[in-house]
Amino acid sequence: AFCAGGDMKAVVQDSLAGGVVPRDFFAEEYALNASIGEFTKVQVSLWDGIVMGGGAGLSVHGRFRVATERSLFAMPEAAIGFF
């Protein structure tokens, strides 16, 4: 498991307090996603079970994704405007 929503909670709390966590968090996250997408070595993500949020975000930018019949994919942060 990569993520259980704690990152979004911290981002929202710091945003309400006028902090810089949201800016820094998303800059780092999107830079990492871009790096994964441009990586020259093959990355294979194996999905088995619940794949959502940050873990899904990390895994979709690689070259290959393999999902089992037990996989359930979701991006719940899209419902609150993060996508």
Side-chain angles (χ1 to χ4, degrees):
F2 290 108
C3 177
D7 52 347
M8 287 295 99
K9 182 177 179 182
V11 165
V12 170
Q13 288 175 338
D14 194 68
S15 177
L16 294 173
V20 297
V21 169
R23 180 195 66 210
D24 295 345
F25 175 84
F26 288 110
E28 290 177 21
E29 179 182 359
Y30 296 147
L32 176 60
N33 291 344
S35 294
I36 292 170
E38 297 168 357
F39 199 53
T40 57
K41 292 187 179 181
V42 175
Q43 176 196 337
V44 179
S45 297
L46 304 175
W47 296 349
D48 183 44
I50 298 171
V51 180
M52 60 189 299
L58 283 173
S59 66
V60 298
H61 298 284
R63 192 173 304 170
F64 300 104
R65 289 150 305 280
V66 179
T68 70
E69 67 279 0
R70 294 185 302 257
S71 297
L72 173 69
F73 183 89
M75 293 294 285
E77 60 271 33
I80 59 171
F82 294 119
F83 48 87

